[in-house]
């Protein structure tokens, strides 16, 4: 059975971050991952995780000017300096908090800017990978239903970027929800791209709720992860149907063990 982490960007959203960490250990998770935790001092997060013996996995790079529709800066031509400033902030926060990975958000790109955006992202990733050689940089495609215009939504696009960057610490974040919504064939895509996968996340397809319903058979998915030898964590990045603790009944329903 894979190891599961609690994504505290979606779980226990009704409480402050440090209390979400407490809730994760109370639910028997052994790891957590975050979205944008920058309002909380990283030393407090490190201390709280250490108290509970929790592993802190990852955070996201800053979104940019959300009021202008930005959702990440990595692939935005003309925003290279802002991206590097944001990445440096993310790297410093992650290092101080004890995280081991950063999801580098590419951003929303107009169709006519795709070629320039690709060159921008490759250059930014090369710089970021050299700035943080001990940190895993994760690339996640967001499906076009949830985030229209996001720079990439397919695994092939991310694999091509990784090949062009040529840095060993740049990896795919395989979110089975986004893969299912964007291109389907979750099981085949998992097998084909496993050598490049640095992290896995799950949620029901298509409603992004607990993974005990929908188009993806997650019992089979967990078996495939074991059979393929995936040794990383599986992030529970779903939106609970009601309160988080009630929704955790999916573990018992699917005979999943957290600890």
């Amino acid at each position: 059975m894979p190891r599961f982490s609690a994504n505290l960007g979606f779980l226990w959203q009704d409480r402050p971050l440090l209390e979400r960490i407490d809730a994760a250990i109370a639910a028997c998770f052994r790891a957590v991952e975050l979205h944008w935790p920058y309002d909380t001092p990283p030393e407090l997060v490190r201390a709280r995780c250490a108290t509970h013996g929790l592993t802190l996995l990852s955070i996201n790079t800053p979104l940019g000017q959300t009021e202008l529709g930005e959702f990440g800066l990595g692939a935005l031509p003309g925003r290279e300096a802002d991206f590097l400033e944001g990445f440096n902030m993310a790297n410093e926060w992650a290092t101080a908090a004890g995280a081991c990975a950063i999801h580098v958000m590419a951003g929303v790109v107009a169709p006519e800017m795709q070629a320039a955006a690709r060159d921008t992202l490759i250059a930014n990733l090369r710089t970021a990978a050299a700035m943080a050689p001990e940190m895993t940089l994760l690339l996640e495609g967001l499906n076009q239903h949830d985030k229209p215009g996001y720079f990439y939504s397919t695994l092939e696009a991310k694999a091509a970027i990784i090949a062009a960057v040529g840095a060993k610490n740049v990896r795919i974040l395989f979110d089975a929800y986004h893969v299912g919504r964007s291109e389907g064939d979750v099981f085949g895509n998992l097998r084909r791209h496993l050598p490049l996968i640095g992290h896995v996340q799950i949620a029901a397809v298509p409603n992004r709720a607990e993974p005990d319903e929908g188009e993806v058979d997650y019992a089979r998915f967990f078996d495939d992860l074991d059979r393929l030898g995936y040794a990383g964590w599986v992030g529970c990045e779903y939106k609970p149907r009601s309160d988080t603790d009630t929704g955790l009944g999916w573990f018992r329903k699917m005979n999943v063990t957290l600890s």
Side-chain angles (χ1 to χ4, degrees):
M1 182 63 63
R3 300 177 297 166
F4 295 90
S5 63
N7 187 291
L8 302 186
F10 284 166
L11 304 185
W12 297 288
Q13 289 191 46
D14 58 337
R15 60 196 76 180
L17 177 55
L18 296 180
E19 293 182 20
R20 295 184 209 178
I21 294 172
D22 296 338
I25 193 66
C28 296
F29 284 99
R30 303 307 306 172
V32 294
E33 54 199 65
L34 313 176
H35 282 169
W36 301 279
Y38 301 106
D39 289 341
T40 304
E43 296 80 10
L44 295 182
V45 172
R46 177 188 282 270
R48 189 63 62 92
C49 289
T51 295
H52 295 311
L54 277 171
T55 297
L56 176 59
L57 298 178
S58 63
I59 65 171
N60 295 347
T61 54
L63 291 173
Q65 300 178 64
T66 55
E67 69 276 11
L68 299 180
E70 292 181 346
F71 204 72
L73 301 174
L76 272 57
R79 300 296 303 281
E80 290 87 350
D82 296 316
F83 166 77
L84 292 177
E85 179 181 356
F87 179 81
N88 186 61
M89 180 176 72
N91 186 42
E92 288 183 351
W93 197 100
T95 300
C100 57
I102 298 172
H103 168 207
V104 178
M105 302 198 66
V108 175
V109 176
E112 66 273 15
M113 297 297 292
Q114 287 289 312
R118 185 180 189 276
D119 292 341
T120 298
L121 181 59
I122 291 169
N124 281 339
L125 285 171
R126 285 174 177 161
T127 302
M131 288 171 59
E134 302 303 317
M135 195 72 65
T136 298
L137 308 188
L138 297 169
L139 309 186
E140 178 183 20
L142 306 187
N143 74 80
Q144 297 296 307
H145 304 279
D146 291 0
K147 187 53 64 176
Y150 198 77
F151 177 64
Y152 39 37
S153 58
T154 69
L155 292 159
E156 289 294 345
K158 293 189 290 295
I161 292 291
I162 290 172
V165 172
K168 293 182 178 180
N169 59 328
V170 181
R171 310 276 288 169
I172 287 174
L173 196 170
F174 186 99
D175 187 320
Y177 164 74
H178 285 296
V179 173
R181 292 280 277 164
S182 293
E183 51 193 317
D185 191 18
V186 170
F187 299 97
N189 273 309
L190 177 68
R191 290 192 296 273
R192 283 189 290 274
H193 295 282
L194 185 70
L196 293 177
I197 293 173
H199 187 51
V200 170
Q201 291 177 336
I202 58 171
V205 179
N207 65 3
R208 210 172 193 180
E210 287 87 348
D212 56 1
E213 62 173 282
E215 300 171 5
V216 178
D217 179 352
Y218 275 107
R220 176 189 164 195
F221 184 76
F222 301 151
D223 286 344
D224 271 15
L225 287 174
D226 284 343
R227 183 175 55 79
L228 292 169
Y230 175 72
W233 296 87
V234 175
C236 297
E237 195 192 38
Y238 58 80
K239 297 180 178 180
R241 290 182 288 259
S242 57
D243 68 279
T244 299
D245 288 305
T246 298
L248 291 175
W250 75 267
F251 286 106
R252 295 185 296 275
K253 179 179 177 181
M254 297 180 65
N255 198 31
V256 167
T257 301
L258 286 179
S259 58

